[in-house]
Every structure is written in structure tokens, then in C-alpha cells.
Amino acid sequence: SYDLTQPPSVSVSPGQTASITCSGDKLGDKYACWYRQKPGQSPVVVIYQDNLRPSGIPERFSGSNSGNTATLTISGTQAMDEADYYCQAWDSSTAVFGGGTKLTVL
Amino acid sequence: EVQLVESGGGLVQPGGSLRLSCAASGFTFSSYDMHWVRRATGKGLEWVSTIGTAGDTSYAGSVKGRFTISRENAKNSLYLQMNSLRAGDTAVYYCARVGSYRIFDYWGQGTLVTVSS
């Protein structure tokens, strides 16, 4: 089965840049998505097809994917960005999620 | 407005069964692949199962042989029959639609399944 690995936690100061990585075998050959989930809420996509932002997602969210690693970058992180973030890719018809990263804005 | 509303969660004993439902509205249900995704407390999202527009199905290894996904397009409804439940199946279960670009673009609010004696 295909696995995606994320760091369990990332901390960032308000206004600084947060980077969350997602590693998987030849992940760069697939499209990566990123989802944000806040407590008590359902997940929301923040990046799709590696680096595209859905409408309504702030420009400070960006993504990249190359080799074995996809990265979600949040520039000028705000307190409201504190949440769990999950990368996701497709392995044929199976959706694979990373283990999730808790982003703390200190 | 697209809406997905899950129901059917609750407390069940180990080895028991439960059937989850997801009522869809605001879109042409029959035209979309639908999925179940779960999140156990303190853990991350875990994909559970999918059913395509043609009725083709796929399951995570952890539930294969125990869970059955189905859909009833005439009722705009998605189902998950869960048998031989284990403590490890305790989680909030979400139904989700996969839209353009293979994004999980709409999610329900989730229904809690607790497997405990």
C-alpha cells in the first residue's frame, strides 16, 4: 500500500512562514492535495493539484510537489491558520492521507 | 447548495453491526464518486471506502470483508454497512464527494461511531 508521511507537529510565530512536508515514494509523479481541519469541523481543501488554491483560500497558502516530497507553505501565518493539515494523494482509486500535522501558531 | 448529511452513528458492542447513511442534496448525486472517510480521536483522517458512478467499489484493507458501501441514486443516498465492528473502528465517519480535479470538495458533518462494551 502507498504511504504518506508528515511531521506530527509544526510550530510557527504569527507573521512567519510555516512549511509542512509530506513524503511518499515518487509523490512528485502524483498530484498532491492539502486539507485543513479545525476542531469540530469537517476538512476543507486548501491546495489541490500540487499548487492550486480553491476560491476563498487566501493567497498566503501555496504548495509544491517534486521528487518524493510535497510541501504546504503558509506565508504570514495567522492565528486562524492553527489547525490540523493533511496531505492526500491517489493510489489508483484509493485515497491516501498523510498522518496529519498539527500547526500551532505561538 | 450542496449538502451531505450523515446519520446512523451510535454506540455498538464489539462484534456488532451498524449502518450509516448519507443524504445528499444540491447536486446530481448519480454523477459523482462518493467516499467514506473516518477520523478516530487523536488520530488522522483515514480513507475507508469508495463507490463509483457505475457502482464499482473499493475498500481500505482495515475494513475489507467487514464493511460494504452502497448507493441508492433514486434516493440520493450513500450507505456504509459495518459488520464485525472492533474498538479500532471507533471514529467520526464522514461521507464526502469527489469533484473536479479529484478533490474531496464537499464533506458531511460526520457521525460518531463508538464500539465499546
Side-chain angles (χ1 to χ4, degrees):
Chain A
S1 63
Y2 191 76
D3 294 320
L4 294 174
T5 301
Q6 298 179 233
S9 62
V10 168
S11 297
V12 64
S13 299
Q16 298 304 301
T17 297
S19 295
I20 300 173
T21 58
C22 173
S23 299
D25 185 48
K26 297 180 182 178
L27 179 56
D29 291 346
K30 306 176 185 292
Y31 278 129
C33 288
W34 290 91
Y35 295 85
R36 174 184 66 201
Q37 187 175 29
K38 295 184 177 181
Q41 297 183 15
S42 301
V44 172
V45 59
V46 294
I47 292 291
Y48 67 99
Q49 287 199 329
D50 296 338
N51 56 18
L52 301 181
R53 274 179 298 104
S55 60
I57 300 301
E59 289 184 7
R60 63 180 181 272
F61 285 83
S62 63
S64 64
N65 185 17
S66 179
N68 294 322
T69 303
T71 302
L72 172 69
T73 301
I74 309 173
S75 305
T77 307
Q78 300 182 8
M80 68 173 65
D81 299 327
E82 190 163 281
D84 294 325
Y85 290 85
Y86 297 89
C87 60
Q88 181 260 318
W90 291 95
D91 183 23
S92 184
S93 62
T94 298
V96 180
F97 288 95
T101 298
K102 182 176 182 60
L103 177 67
T104 301
V105 182
L106 299 169
Chain B
E1 179 193 5
V2 171
Q3 283 196 326
L4 298 171
V5 180
E6 301 95 338
S7 60
L11 174 64
V12 61
Q13 292 188 341
S17 298
L18 214 54
R19 189 195 196 204
L20 305 184
S21 299
C22 173
S25 60
F27 65 102
T28 304
F29 178 73
S30 59
S31 297
Y32 289 85
D33 294 348
M34 298 297 297
H35 297 249
W36 289 97
V37 178
R38 68 186 181 184
R39 182 176 182 183
T41 301
K43 296 197 173 181
L45 296 174
E46 180 188 15
W47 176 81
V48 174
S49 181
T50 182
I51 185 164
T53 57
D56 45 310
T57 61
S58 185
Y59 300 90
S62 57
V63 307
K64 199 168 188 177
R66 301 186 298 121
F67 289 12
T68 302
I69 191 172
S70 62
R71 65 191 301 163
E72 192 167 355
N73 291 336
K75 292 187 175 181
N76 292 330
S77 293
L78 175 71
Y79 306 102
L80 187 67
Q81 177 67 43
M82 304 185 295
N83 299 329
S84 303
L85 282 161
R86 308 165 178 166
D89 297 317
T90 295
V92 174
Y93 285 72
Y94 300 95
C95 72
R97 186 185 90 166
V98 167
S100 302
Y101 306 105
R102 298 191 87 188
I103 302 169
F104 287 97
D105 57 358
Y106 287 95
W107 299 67
Q109 83 288 350
T111 187
L112 176 62
V113 172
T114 302
V115 183
S116 175
S117 53

